[in-house]
Amino acid sequence: MFRQLLVAALVGVALAAPSNKLASKNIVVNFKQGTEEVLNRVDRMRFESRGQKITFMKAQLEALAETSQKNALSILNEKAAKFDSVWISNQIFVENVSAEVVEALLALPEVAEVREQKIIFIEEPIPADNNTINAEWGVEKIEADAAWALPGGNNGQGVVVSNIDTGVRYTHQTLRANYRSSYGWFDPYTSTANPTDGNGHGTHTMGTIAGSNGIGVAPGAQWIACRGCSTSSCTENALTRCGQWVACPTLASGGSPNCNQAPDLVSNSWGGGQGDTWYNSVISAWHTAGIIPLFSQGNSGPACGTANSPGDATNVLGVGSTTSADGVSSFSSRGPTTRGNLKPDISAPGTNVRSAWYTSDTAYNTISGTSMACPHAAGATALLLAKNRSLTYAQVKNLLQNNADRSLGSATACGGTGSTTWPNNIYGYGRINARKALQATILGAY
Ligand SMILES: *[C@@H]1O[C@H](CO)[C@@H](O)[C@H](O)[C@H]1NC(C)=O
Ligand SMILES: *[C@@H]1O[C@H](CO)[C@@H](O)[C@H](O)[C@H]1NC(C)=O
Ligand SMILES: *[C@@H]1O[C@H](CO)[C@@H](O)[C@H](O)[C@H]1NC(C)=O
């Protein structure tokens, strides 16, 4: 019934609109067979290394996709449609589809749904109140510099971080030394050989994670990146293919996958909507791959119940934003989620954050947003993983949460939790403290 309604809706558009309107329809094909069964099976097995586990996961998911997508792919090939088949979520993305092809796909019993692709947005940066700020206060506020100097401390060396964003200006003076050029970049839009950023957002967020010159939390880490967002908008196709690339990186051409090259964490400063589960299969595969997912919580505050997706998922670290005075940033999205869960999980500096900018190799910009908070938490995660790369997602989450600072500004209660009961729907478990979390890791207190 639902499938028929969808056909009717799409055909309706085709009939009612001039053909050039239909020509812009980009759709996603979802199959009845999901990926959970495969991931659960892989999770129950033992492997000698993480790379072997991810390689096996990929092979199993590819086999699943091959079986369930077989008929759909033959229709698409026959009609010479432009499409991308992905294994990470068992989906096919079709560009500029005709009503005839949609009908043929919907007639397949294995197809669960054909719908238009979503367009997601980076959490748009908010111009800073004051562009004269020079000190990278966020790095100091979370005591990252003190964490580097701890006996047994580190600055992220040995860890590989990643972001899915607008790309990175890889020649920037703060980022050029620790770009991992081997399996370090993928651009699903234009397949450029080297990282680029035509927006600035992705250079800024990567600078906060791993930039040198005092802007980054984990300047000793290596970084890799995927361009999920062409400018400020991000297609569902590109975000999903970036999610797949993060799980098992390929060369910039898209070929020669090597799952041993997967990063240790992925920082995501993008999102939209609420209670929206469209990215869940990618997130689940990251967990099986042992990649820690962090998401900005959104800039939809100060109202309660404004946490954005996918940061509102229970199995990602959702990061809210704080000011240099350790208050909540007014724009920072608050919990609870539409399902009644606590969010954010933690908070980090996000107002007036200075970091690398895309306009030149020596450019900097000071901007605000939960987009700027998430990379602080990603950098702190890198410091913990540099101490012990076997830490699980749950252990990292506990370390960040249990060692967070809680002398924070007061704020209106959300979902029954005020700013002095912990955890709460304003700050989560508090504002992260990298020194305390790393100290606890060094002591094995997790
Ligand atoms: C979309 O497809 C139509 C034919 O079905 C073609 O004329 C048009 O150029 C295509 N548009 C794009 C952007 O590929
Ligand atoms: C901007 O920063 C300067 C230097 O810290 C300070 O004196 C000034 O009051 C700030 N202005 C605003 C509008 O916050
Ligand atoms: C690293 O973490 C893993 C997972 O919790 C633990 O089993 C292992 O003992 C830790 N290694 C060290 C050297 O602390």
Side-chain angles (χ1 to χ4, degrees), residues 387-392 395 441 446:
K387 184 66 202 167
N388 184 346
R389 280 179 94 184
S390 305
L391 292 177
T392 63
Q395 288 170 326
T441 310
Y446 47 85

Side-chain angles (χ1 to χ4, degrees), residues 92-335:
I92 306 175
F93 295 91
V94 194
E95 313 303 319
N96 192 25
V97 79
S98 70
E100 181 199 2
V101 168
V102 170
E103 254 185 294
L105 292 171
L106 282 168
L108 299 172
E110 64 270 29
V111 167
E113 179 192 34
V114 174
R115 61 165 170 79
E116 265 194 75
Q117 281 182 48
K118 292 171 189 293
I119 302 286
I120 310 294
F121 294 90
I122 54 170
E123 300 285 4
E124 282 282 11
I126 296 157
D129 310 336
N130 194 331
N131 261 306
T132 63
I133 289 171
N134 290 317
E136 277 51 84
W137 69 270
V139 174
E140 278 182 24
K141 177 67 81 175
I142 68 167
E143 295 197 68
D145 44 356
W148 307 336
L150 280 175
N154 72 79
N155 65 0
Q157 215 162 7
V159 167
V160 180
V161 301
S162 69
N163 72 359
I164 296 177
D165 209 302
T166 60
V168 178
R169 185 179 179 106
Y170 79 111
T171 54
H172 195 276
Q173 61 179 190
T174 62
L175 290 164
R176 66 169 72 120
N178 57 341
Y179 167 52
R180 192 190 73 184
S181 58
S182 173
Y183 287 87
W185 168 249
F186 183 58
D187 173 0
Y189 295 95
T190 56
S191 301
T192 56
N194 293 313
T196 56
D197 180 6
N199 175 285
H201 191 271
T203 302
H204 198 279
T205 57
M206 188 59 85
T208 300
I209 303 172
S212 55
N213 281 0
I215 63 167
V217 175
Q222 284 192 302
W223 66 265
I224 65 173
C226 188
R227 187 159 167 252
C229 308
S230 56
T231 51
S232 59
S233 71
C234 331
T235 66
E236 184 174 354
N237 179 336
L239 291 172
T240 305
R241 286 164 68 204
C242 278
Q244 178 169 291
W245 181 84
V246 163
C248 184
T250 62
L251 299 178
S253 63
S256 306
N258 182 347
C259 306
N260 293 309
Q261 302 296 326
D264 297 294
L265 64 87
V266 55
S267 185
N268 300 274
S269 290
W270 53 269
Q274 298 193 276
D276 198 345
T277 59
W278 69 276
Y279 211 61
N280 279 14
S281 46
V282 172
I283 294 165
S284 296
W286 286 344
H287 279 289
T288 295
I291 299 163
I292 294 177
L294 302 99
F295 279 85
S296 55
Q297 203 62 72
N299 300 338
S300 307
C304 299
T306 49
N308 282 350
S309 302
D312 60 358
T314 52
N315 60 349
V316 304
L317 273 170
V319 187
S321 171
T322 55
T323 68
S324 57
D326 253 345
V328 63
S329 307
S330 59
F331 54 75
S332 189
S333 285
R334 320 288 156 103

Side-chain angles (χ1 to χ4, degrees), residues 396-417:
V396 167
K397 189 172 192 279
N398 284 336
L399 282 162
L400 291 177
Q401 289 180 168
N402 297 343
N403 295 290
D405 285 326
R406 294 180 178 172
S407 297
L408 308 177
S410 63
T412 308
C414 284
T417 56

Side-chain angles (χ1 to χ4, degrees), residues 323-395:
T323 68
S324 57
D326 253 345
V328 63
S329 307
S330 59
F331 54 75
S332 189
S333 285
R334 320 288 156 103
T337 70
T338 52
R339 292 182 172 76
N341 295 315
L342 180 99
K343 283 286 168 177
D345 297 290
I346 43 168
S347 294
T351 293
N352 295 0
V353 173
R354 180 176 175 271
S355 184
W357 201 238
Y358 75 117
T359 43
S360 87
D361 291 341
T362 54
Y364 294 83
N365 195 10
T366 302
I367 48 178
S368 302
T370 54
S371 281
M372 285 68 240
C374 183
H376 280 96
T381 298
L383 302 184
L384 308 186
L385 291 172
K387 184 66 202 167
N388 184 346
R389 280 179 94 184
S390 305
L391 292 177
T392 63
Y393 167 77
Q395 288 170 326

